[in-house]
C-alpha cells in the first residue's frame, strides 16, 4: 500500500534513511524536507523536493501537511554521551515541537523513528510487547518519544506509529557515506575491505545484528503512514548475522581476503547491545510488510560500487 497525492514532511530528510524515504515518496507525493544538516546533506535529495534548512526545535516549521515522518535525531550512543542535554532537546523536545505544530496545522498522521536498542541484547526475536530497558541517553530519548507518541494518540486521537528500526544499512554507494564513523558497520567494513584495510571489530566479532536494508525500512515507513498505524512496530528481518560472518561475506563478494582487527570495545559492556533480532509479525499483520532484500542480496548491493565497472 503506497502513499499517493499526499503532502508530506520528512524531518531529518537529508540524512541517510530520511533521504531514501523522501526521494521515494517524491515520485507520487509533494515532499518537504526539514534538516539542519548536522548529519544530513541536501545533496542526497532529488530536485523535486522542497528543502528547508531548519532545526526541529524551531517555530514555524512547514507542518501543514497530510503526513509527518519524524526521523530527525541525534542517532547514536556517542552523540548523546558527548552532550546529553542537547540529545534530549533534539530527540525529545524536537519531537514534541514538530508533532504539536503538525497537530495545530491539522495533521493527524505521524510516523516516527524509535530504536530496537531498548530491547537490550537478545538472540531470540524481540516482540514489541516485551519489557524494555534504558541504559543510555539515546535509548532514553527514543523511549520518551514513544511515551509522547502515546500521549498524542490518546489525548488528540492522532495516528502515531513509532517504528523500532533494527540495524539499517545501504552502503557508501547510497546515501550513507556522509555519516562516516556513524554509518552502519556494513558500509564501514565494505569500504575498508575494498581498500585493503582491516575492518575494526569490537571484542571477538561474535556480536550479532538484524541487518535491515534501507529500502525495506522505507517501505515499512510508507506502509505505516498509508495504513494510519498507531502504536509501536518493529522493522527488521528476523535474521541475525555476527560481525565475523559479515566480514567473510564481504570478502567473498569482493574476491578479497582481508582479515579484521580486533580491539577492546570502547563502549562499556554493561550498556553495549551485543545481539539484536526482530519479531516483525505485528507490522506484517497490520500492514502486510515483509522485508524483500535478504542479506546476501544486501551485501551484493553494498559491494556493487566496488565490483562494477
Amino acid at each position: 500500500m503506497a502513499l499517493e497525492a499526499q503532502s508530506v514532511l520528512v524531518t531529518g530528510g537529508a540524512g541517510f534513511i530520511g533521504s531514501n524515504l523522501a526521494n521515494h515518496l517524491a515520485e507520487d507525493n509533494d515532499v518537504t524536507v526539514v534538516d539542519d544538516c548536522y548529519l544530513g546533506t541536501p545533496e542526497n535529495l532529488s530536485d523535486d523536493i522542497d528543502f528547508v534548512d531548519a532545526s526541529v526545535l524551531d517555530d514555524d516549521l512547514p507542518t501543514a501537511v497530510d503526513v509527518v515522518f519524524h526521523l530527525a535525531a541525534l542517532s547514536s550512543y556517542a552523540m548523546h554521551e558527548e552532550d546529553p542535554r542537547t540529545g534530549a532537546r533534539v530527540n525529545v523536545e524536537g519531537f514534541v515541537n514538530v508533532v504539536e505544530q503538525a497537530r495545530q496545522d491539522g495533521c493527524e498522521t505521524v510516523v516516527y523513528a524509535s530504536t530496537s536498542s531498548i530491547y537490550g541484547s537478545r538472540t531470540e526475536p524481540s516482540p514489541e510487547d516485551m519489557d524494555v530497558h534504558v541504559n543510555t541517553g539515546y535509548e532514553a530519548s527514543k523511549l520518551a518519544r514513544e511515551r509522547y507518541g502515546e500521549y498524542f494518540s490518546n489525548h488528540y486521537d492522532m495516528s502515531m506509529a513509532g517504528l523500532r528500526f533494527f540495524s539499517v544499512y545501504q552502503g557508501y554507494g547510497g546515501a550513507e557515506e556522509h555519516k562516516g564513523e556513524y554509518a552502519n558497520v556494513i558500509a564501514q567494513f565494505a569500504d575498508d575491505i575494498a581498500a585493503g584495510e582491516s575492518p575494526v571489530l569490537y571484542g571477538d566479532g561474535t556480536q550479532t545484528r538484524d541487518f535491515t536494508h534501507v529500502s525495506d525500512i522505507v517501505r515499512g515507513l510508507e506502509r505505516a503512514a498509508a495504513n494510519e498505524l498507531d502504536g509501536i512496530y518493529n522493522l527488521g528481518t528476523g535474521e541475525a548475522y555476527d560481525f565475523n560472518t559479515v566480514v567473510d561475506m564481504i570478502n567473498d563478494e569482493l574476491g578479497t581476503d582481508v582479515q579484521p582487527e580486533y580491539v577492546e570495545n570502547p563502549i562499556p559492556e554493561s550498556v553495549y547491545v551485543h545481539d539484536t533480532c526482530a519479531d516483525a509479525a505485528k507490522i506484517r499483520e497490520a500492514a502486510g510488510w515483509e522485508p524483500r532484500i535478504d542479506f546476501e542480496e544486501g551485501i551484493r548491493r553494498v559491494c556493487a560500487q566496488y565490483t562494477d565497472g
Side-chain angles (χ1 to χ4, degrees):
M1 189 173 183
L3 278 183
E4 292 182 349
Q6 302 281 298
S7 58
V8 174
L9 171 64
V10 183
T11 71
F16 164 39
I17 299 173
S19 64
N20 274 280
L21 175 66
N23 290 337
H24 170 72
L25 292 176
E27 295 172 10
D28 298 304
N29 302 275
D30 181 16
V31 177
T32 301
V33 159
V34 163
D35 202 299
D36 65 0
C37 299
Y38 172 65
L39 273 178
T41 170
E43 294 174 6
N44 286 335
L45 298 170
S46 60
D47 293 338
D48 52 352
I49 291 172
D50 183 16
F51 174 73
V52 179
D53 187 344
S55 166
V56 291
L57 296 168
D58 290 348
D59 295 326
D60 301 319
L61 292 170
T63 49
V65 293
D66 299 314
V67 181
V68 170
F69 293 92
H70 186 75
L71 304 184
L74 295 183
S75 55
S76 78
Y77 166 79
M79 294 179 204
H80 277 263
E81 298 314 303
E82 288 166 8
D83 189 350
R85 289 180 296 179
T86 297
R89 276 196 290 269
V90 172
N91 283 17
V92 184
E93 185 183 343
F95 174 78
V96 175
N97 185 49
V98 169
V99 177
E100 176 60 14
Q101 287 187 52
R103 183 188 72 80
Q104 292 183 5
D105 284 334
C107 177
E108 298 180 346
T109 303
V110 177
V111 180
Y112 64 92
S114 184
T115 180
S116 60
S117 296
I118 53 179
Y119 291 124
S121 290
R122 278 174 56 88
T123 53
E124 293 298 308
S126 300
E128 292 88 348
D129 59 1
M130 70 171 278
D131 289 339
V132 296
H133 305 280
V134 166
N135 292 313
T136 69
Y138 171 65
E139 293 164 3
S141 72
K142 289 303 185 76
L143 191 57
R145 278 188 178 188
E146 293 187 3
R147 290 291 176 256
Y148 271 105
E150 189 177 11
Y151 154 65
F152 280 108
S153 171
N154 291 338
H155 197 278
Y156 294 110
D157 199 29
M158 298 175 70
S159 297
M160 301 290 303
L163 302 185
R164 292 174 178 168
F165 300 156
F166 283 71
S167 194
V168 188
Y169 73 99
Q170 182 181 29
Y172 286 163
E176 216 176 343
E177 187 164 9
H178 69 275
K179 290 189 73 173
E181 64 181 303
Y182 296 118
N184 188 279
V185 294
I186 300 286
Q188 297 188 55
F189 291 174
D191 203 58
D192 287 341
I193 292 170
E197 300 172 3
S198 293
V200 176
L201 276 60
Y202 294 165
D204 60 5
T206 59
Q207 62 270 66
T208 63
R209 293 288 180 272
D210 185 333
F211 293 108
T212 311
H213 194 272
V214 70
S215 64
D216 283 329
I217 296 290
V218 164
R219 285 191 308 104
L221 286 160
E222 182 178 25
R223 289 201 176 197
N227 288 276
E228 297 180 352
L229 297 187
D230 189 68
I232 304 303
Y233 299 84
N234 288 333
L235 280 184
T237 69
E239 296 182 355
Y241 291 81
D242 69 66
F243 286 14
N244 288 317
T245 299
V246 170
V247 170
D248 289 343
M249 292 174 70
I250 293 171
N251 270 312
D252 287 347
E253 182 64 24
L254 294 177
T256 51
D257 185 22
V258 179
Q259 297 305 303
E261 175 188 352
Y262 297 96
V263 300
E264 185 176 349
N265 192 341
I267 302 173
E269 203 62 36
S270 59
V271 304
Y272 184 67
V273 177
H274 195 275
D275 305 287
T276 69
C277 189
D279 178 343
K282 186 178 177 183
I283 195 167
R284 183 183 308 124
E285 293 166 8
W289 178 86
E290 293 268 11
R292 291 178 180 170
I293 299 182
D294 64 37
F295 195 49
E296 290 79 5
E297 170 63 19
I299 290 289
R300 280 194 292 273
R301 293 190 182 195
V302 168
C303 292
Q305 72 176 110
Y306 309 110
T307 58
D308 291 352

